[in-house]
Amino acid sequence: MEIRALRYFLAVAREENITKAAELLHVTQPTLSKQLKALELELGKKLYTRHSFSIKLTDEGMLLRKRAEDLVDMADKIEREFDSLNDITGGDLYLGLAESYQIKYLAMAIRAFKAKYPNLHYHITSGDTEQVEEKLDKGLLDFLVLAEHPDSHKYEYIEFPESDIWGLIIPKTDPLASKKAISVNDLINLPLFCSEQAWTNEIKKWAGNTYPKLTLEGSLRLSYNGSVFTREGLGYLLTFNHLIDTSDESGLVFRQLKPTLETKLYIAWNRHQTFTPIAERFLEHLKKSFK
């Protein structure tokens, strides 16, 4: 199976139209159709069905799309890594990030590092732990920022300088906004928004025996989206401090949980990772910066 054939397939999957995909790829439509047919023959499965002005992926096509995206990303990463082996002024870094105001420390480290290596290019993937950890394990990322303690059997890691503090985002006009801090009893019967990962880990441990009385209205991977729902009066968002705009104009306030709930942040990498020269230099830079 050729990478080129997978690139062709992904273009068609994204455009949902063979003619448009052929134009983007600068190939003729018959050439593209022939490549797709050969791919179906090679795999022994029908990958898409034609409609009047579009194509629709089959279940097998959807599976191939997910696998092809990872394979093409890996091929691109390998090409860039080898291109940068002789470049002493830069290269490519791939990072997966959790949400935290402490990302500022990573940004500061990158800024200082880029001053020394001006041809540095960094690629950021954001998401929850499951999403970005999978990419690290597949070799698509160099470093991973986690809002939970890394598995020391799989990863080496550095701890960020501070901790993230949990609290509740509340509409400014809500009676709860008058409280200085929020206890677990304050949350009973409230519609709550939170990441699924945090709900089943940090929040569950913090709430203790009261946890079964709490109501998860919706699980959201991005705190910003949760703040929009909160502003519309649909519920209350459990999140880290400093992630959401709680200025006077925002209509929202942050109230810390009581007792205090803290989460440490870590930057991790695979124990048996083979780094590019620029990634190895960046790791040494990080160790000095965070120390």
Side-chain angles (χ1 to χ4, degrees):
M1 188 182 305
E2 296 182 359
I3 292 293
R4 182 181 63 176
L6 295 179
R7 291 189 194 278
Y8 285 178
F9 170 75
L10 288 175
V12 172
R14 284 192 293 267
E15 297 301 318
E16 297 183 346
N17 184 287
I18 292 179
T19 302
K20 290 182 180 177
E23 291 174 357
L24 287 173
L25 294 167
H26 304 293
V27 298
T28 64
Q29 185 175 332
T31 297
L32 182 54
S33 297
K34 184 178 179 181
Q35 287 283 342
L36 294 176
K37 187 64 177 176
L39 192 57
E40 287 185 323
L41 289 172
E42 183 177 358
L43 295 173
K45 298 291 182 182
K46 191 169 183 61
L47 300 175
Y48 62 94
T49 54
R50 287 180 181 267
H51 298 276
S52 299
F53 300 101
S54 64
I55 64 102
K56 181 179 175 63
L57 294 182
T58 62
D59 289 343
E60 292 81 3
M62 294 294 291
L63 175 62
L64 178 62
R65 180 176 186 172
K66 178 174 173 56
R67 298 290 182 260
E69 285 172 345
D70 286 342
L71 287 169
V72 170
D73 285 348
M74 176 60 77
D76 290 341
K77 185 172 185 288
I78 290 171
E79 287 178 10
R80 283 192 287 263
E81 284 176 346
F82 274 81
D83 286 342
S84 67
L85 286 178
N86 296 322
D87 184 359
I88 62 172
T89 64
D92 289 82
L93 284 175
Y94 297 83
L95 305 105
L97 307 184
E99 276 194 302
S100 167
Y101 87 102
Q102 290 196 79
I103 294 299
K104 67 179 183 180
Y105 292 111
L106 180 62
M108 290 163 61
I110 291 174
R111 183 183 63 187
F113 191 70
K114 192 169 176 61
K116 189 175 181 180
Y117 298 97
N119 290 330
L120 172 72
H121 300 283
Y122 48 94
H123 310 268
I124 304 297
T125 297
S126 296
D128 61 21
T129 298
E130 183 181 356
Q131 288 175 313
V132 290
E133 199 173 63
E134 181 183 4
K135 288 184 176 293
L136 182 68
D137 292 342
K138 288 180 177 179
L140 297 173
L141 299 175
D142 298 312
F143 300 100
L144 173 66
V145 174
L146 292 169
E148 62 180 53
H149 199 283
D151 181 348
S152 57
H153 295 292
K154 292 171 62 177
Y155 308 122
E156 294 186 65
Y157 56 88
I158 303 170
E159 191 174 294
F160 274 70
E162 300 180 44
S163 295
D164 281 284
I165 306 297
W166 281 90
L168 192 68
I169 299 294
I170 308 166
K172 198 173 184 178
T173 56
D174 192 285
L176 273 178
S178 63
K179 287 182 168 287
K180 293 184 178 179
I182 301 297
S183 69
V184 66
N185 289 328
D186 292 326
L187 300 181
I188 295 174
N189 296 325
L190 294 183
L192 301 172
F193 301 114
C194 186
S195 74
E196 190 171 352
Q197 175 191 328
W199 182 258
T200 56
N201 290 285
E202 290 100 325
I203 300 303
K204 185 176 183 179
K205 292 176 184 176
W206 174 79
N209 294 333
T210 310
Y211 180 73
K213 298 179 182 179
L214 303 185
T215 303
L216 181 64
E217 175 75 5
S219 59
L220 299 156
R221 284 175 169 167
L222 297 175
S223 291
Y224 174 78
N225 289 347
S227 72
V228 173
F229 279 58
T230 300
R231 192 177 289 109
E232 292 300 319
L234 293 170
Y236 305 80
L237 173 65
L238 287 161
T239 188
F240 294 156
N241 197 7
H242 305 299
L243 285 184
I244 301 302
D245 176 19
T246 54
S247 63
D248 290 339
E249 299 78 21
S250 70
L252 301 172
V253 298
F254 175 90
R255 295 292 181 261
Q256 186 173 319
L257 298 183
K258 179 181 66 175
T260 300
L261 176 61
E262 298 182 356
T263 294
K264 295 296 296 184
L265 205 66
Y266 306 86
I267 185 161
W269 59 96
N270 277 318
R271 278 196 169 276
H272 306 294
Q273 183 123 339
T274 301
F275 283 123
T276 58
I278 195 68
E280 194 167 346
R281 294 186 195 112
F282 183 66
L283 177 56
E284 293 307 310
H285 175 75
L286 270 182
K287 289 177 178 177
K288 293 176 182 176
S289 299
F290 281 29
K291 185 177 179 180

